[in-house]
Amino acid sequence: MKCTNCGLHEATTEVMVRRNNHVEKMFLCGECAKNFRPDMGFDSFDMLNKLINGSPMGLLSSFGNLFDTHASRTLICPDCKTTSEEFIKSGFVGCSKCYKVFEPLVVQSVKKLQQSDRHVGKTPYGYFDETDEDRLKAELKDAVDNGDYGKIVELSEKLKKIVNNKREGN
Amino acid sequence: MNVLDNIIVSTRLRLARNIAGLPFPHKLNEMSARKIIDNVQNALAPVDKFSRYDMNNLSAIDGTILQEKHLISLDLLKDCPFGSVLISADENVSVMVNEEDHIREQVILSGLSLDQAYDRVNRIDDVLGKSLNFAFDGRFGYLTSCATNLGTGMRASVMMFLPALTIQKMIDGCINDVGLLNMTVRGVYGEGSDAEGYLYQVSNQRSLGMKETDIIDSVNGAINHIVDAELKARQLLMRNEDRLKDEICRAWGIVTNAYRLSTEEAMRYLALVRLGQHYGYIDVSDLNVFQKLITDCQPANMQKSGGYSMSADERDVLRARHIATALTSFCKKTV
Ligand SMILES: [Zn+2]
Ligand SMILES: [Zn+2]
């Protein structure tokens, strides 16, 4: 079973969490268990009540309103320790990993804010997306047919990267 | 010179970027922050000659001067201890480091030049992207510390001079209209009131799910709408032409004759003189020089040109003299 906090790793620890008036069981991975503190813990929070104020750019004066009330428990980023509460309150995350950890919340908010949750613009130098995979495979076949050893190495490296990225992403 | 030149002051285009594998600036330690500054500086070297200003050893007045010139944000100046900025010799390019994001690449050009500004910032981004590994995600695009900048990380802003809409209290309606087009409108020096020179910043809200060129098209669309509205509002002001002429001539009289001028007064009356240019009451040979005069008159810039020990009163005297001399050299009242 996956960790109920980050949803990324296998759960290894069982903890009790107090939420409003009842106690709930949670199953955590090693990393999340390390960050779990019973005193402030993953205590429940009301997404809509805590928010507003302190917005960085006016736009965010109602960032919290972008979330559904039934949204779940607090999540913590294993890399930078930012919590989903902090994200919801401010619209800010602490690192790139946060976007994976808070992905469902990010999707919820940007869908309303940006009317989309999928980038369509420029990509950085050296970035390949999945549609490049077929193209690279075809190029690799050509390189093999032509015995172009340098090209074969280069293309296999790129393909390996894409496959690895895919594995990390899911 | 056409009517657009009077209404549109400048264009600014910025791309927000972060380095993969490092926490965003508000979670970053000093050592990593300093390293990013050095790396960005090195990466920029082939592009142009850039001057570097680190916020931790910049005097308050020199920092404020950069901010008054809109080369850095107030946030970088006040809240970013490891912040830095790299500014090109022509002051058209400013790359802020360790502000809200690791890197904010910005190009600032006069007039309405979104395409040119994007072209230039995009080329800088290509160069930086080759030596720096940008944080990027197939779904969310360029990863930024605030979710509102995800995707392209792009903000295209146009600074507009909108006195007629403001005076006739039609600006809110206009702001609502372009809000429907997903644009935001904000006063450049606060709320855009008369004492702030009727200057507004119009920019895109959406950065995700639209291509860079489509964002630019949408901003251009909003600008056209606002320009039309401002022109109609300027037509309405003509219904009482004598009063309009009188107000503008009085403003001219003050800025060319006063012995002392505060920043607020200078902004208010210079704005009316600029409006006078539209109606042909005042002949202005170069509106870019006119805009530079407004920057020169801001407190820190004034202080620098007059010597650091000047008092606020002395500054007001110097401002009045500076404006009168400058205006009479490239502007003329024709009514
Ligand atoms: Zn976990
Ligand atoms: Zn994080």
Side-chain angles (χ1 to χ4, degrees), chain A residues 3 5-9 28-29 31-32:
Chain A
C3 166
N5 181 45
C6 67
L8 295 175
H9 311 111
L28 303 178
C29 69
E31 227 157 13
C32 289

Side-chain angles (χ1 to χ4, degrees), chain A residues 16 21 24 27 45 56 72-73 87 107 132 152 158 162:
Chain A
M16 303 303 277
N21 300 316
E24 204 176 280
F27 302 92
F45 62 99
S72 59
R73 67 200 94 75
F87 168 63
V107 169
D132 286 325
I152 294 174
K158 282 178 180 169
I162 291 181

Side-chain angles (χ1 to χ4, degrees), chain B residues 14-245:
Chain B
R14 73 105 159 113
L15 300 176
R17 299 290 185 254
N18 287 281
I19 309 289
L22 287 175
F24 296 139
H26 64 283
K27 296 263 180 181
L28 196 63
N29 64 42
E30 175 161 8
M31 211 176 70
S32 309
R34 299 258 173 256
K35 208 167 159 168
I36 295 178
I37 304 174
D38 291 340
N39 289 345
V40 173
Q41 186 175 28
N42 292 336
L44 272 176
V47 178
D48 199 350
K49 247 193 150 41
F50 283 85
S51 308
R52 167 174 163 176
Y53 304 92
D54 290 350
M55 294 305 121
N56 67 324
N57 53 32
L58 191 64
S59 74
I61 187 149
D62 287 337
T64 310
I65 285 171
L66 295 178
Q67 192 249 320
E68 287 175 353
K69 289 178 168 177
H70 304 290
L71 290 168
I72 63 171
S73 64
L74 195 58
D75 280 350
L76 186 78
L77 187 61
K78 301 262 183 255
D79 299 326
C80 304
F82 315 136
S84 183
V85 67
L86 294 140
I87 298 172
S88 66
D90 61 8
E91 298 197 337
N92 287 340
V93 183
S94 132
V95 179
M96 290 195 288
V97 186
N98 297 326
E99 200 234 31
E100 195 180 297
D101 293 297
H102 293 146
I103 305 169
R104 288 278 176 102
E105 311 157 357
Q106 298 193 87
V107 167
I108 307 131
L109 300 175
S110 59
L112 185 60
S113 345
L114 285 165
D115 293 326
Q116 295 93 309
Y118 179 64
D119 190 54
R120 184 142 180 211
V121 84
N122 190 35
R123 273 184 286 132
I124 292 167
D125 185 59
D126 285 344
V127 174
L128 289 183
K130 273 182 191 163
S131 52
L132 305 169
N133 185 14
F134 290 146
F136 184 85
D137 176 84
R139 179 174 198 177
F140 297 134
Y142 288 94
L143 298 177
T144 50
S145 81
C146 186
T148 53
N149 291 314
L150 282 172
T152 56
M154 181 165 118
R155 181 135 298 138
S157 323
V158 175
M159 197 198 283
M160 303 186 78
F161 174 60
L162 306 173
L165 285 170
T166 313
I167 292 166
Q168 295 176 100
K169 307 204 186 325
M170 295 154 70
I171 192 80
D172 288 340
C174 201
I175 290 174
N176 282 338
D177 290 349
V178 299
L180 298 175
L181 305 170
N182 295 301
M183 298 292 144
T184 51
V185 181
R186 274 179 297 178
V188 170
Y189 292 95
E191 300 304 312
S193 68
D194 61 343
E196 286 138 5
Y198 309 111
L199 292 170
Y200 296 84
Q201 198 86 51
V202 180
S203 50
N204 63 299
Q205 225 172 69
R206 286 187 65 186
S207 57
L208 182 68
M210 283 175 90
K211 282 191 182 141
E212 287 82 356
T213 45
D214 293 338
I215 293 176
I216 288 173
D217 288 347
S218 71
V219 175
N220 273 323
I223 300 299
N224 286 338
H225 176 87
I226 299 172
V227 166
D228 284 347
E230 171 68 17
L231 286 174
K232 281 194 193 107
R234 289 186 184 189
Q235 208 63 52
L236 286 177
L237 281 181
M238 286 281 273
R239 284 191 302 199
N240 198 340
E241 197 180 353
D242 284 347
R243 172 152 179 224
L244 181 67
K245 258 187 198 156

Side-chain angles (χ1 to χ4, degrees), chain A residues 77 80 94-95 98:
Chain A
C77 171
C80 74
C95 73
C98 287

Side-chain angles (χ1 to χ4, degrees), chain A residues 42 72 142:
Chain A
F42 302 120
S72 59
D142 285 346

